[in-house]
Amino acid sequence: RSSDLANYCKQIRQLLEKIQENSAFIVNKRQKTSISVSDGPAVERWEKQVREEGTPLAKYYSHWKKLREKEIQLEISGKERMEDLNLPEIKRKKPAEIGR
């Protein structure tokens, strides 16, 4: 149980760090721009640009998603391999039958 909890805490801590990094990234980007908040179309263009560049959180999520999909595929393929093998049974003769 404690290992599950430790693993969960590690994941939550990592997610929190990425959220904080993302927040700092957005704040830094906002400070560098001179767009007025009341200029809706300019704000939308800025948001689109930031999305296209990618935020630290979006990059982390896309990397995590790829890893998770691979993990799921390995689980699925591993289970199917064992079920679909239909291995033949090897019938061995007893040592007494070999000498006859």
Side-chain angles (χ1 to χ4, degrees):
R1 278 287 212 208
S2 63
S3 64
D4 290 342
L5 182 61
N7 190 25
Y8 178 75
C9 288
K10 180 181 175 185
Q11 291 174 350
I12 295 298
R13 191 175 322 116
Q14 191 175 27
L15 182 60
L16 178 61
E17 289 171 2
K18 288 299 174 184
I19 290 171
Q20 290 171 339
E21 185 180 340
N22 198 66
S23 175
F25 174 80
I26 295 295
V27 167
N28 188 20
K29 282 286 211 182
R30 284 180 181 164
Q31 289 175 348
K32 290 181 179 178
T33 188
S34 59
I35 299 173
S36 172
V37 178
S38 61
D39 187 3
V43 170
E44 288 177 18
R45 284 192 304 274
W46 180 83
E47 288 176 345
K48 183 179 177 184
Q49 178 187 1
V50 169
R51 270 192 302 268
E52 288 173 355
E53 290 175 7
T55 63
L57 187 60
K59 290 175 185 176
Y60 170 76
Y61 175 73
S62 65
H63 179 70
W64 174 85
K65 189 174 179 181
K66 287 178 189 176
L67 291 176
R68 182 66 182 139
E69 286 173 356
K70 283 182 183 179
E71 183 180 317
I72 290 171
Q73 289 301 319
L74 286 174
E75 284 180 18
I76 291 171
S77 65
K79 289 178 184 175
E80 288 176 355
R81 282 188 201 140
M82 295 306 289
E83 293 171 357
D84 295 340
L85 286 178
N86 294 329
L87 296 173
E89 289 184 32
I90 299 174
K91 296 181 181 179
R92 297 185 181 184
K93 294 183 179 183
K94 296 179 183 176
E97 294 176 3
I98 294 174
R100 290 184 190 175

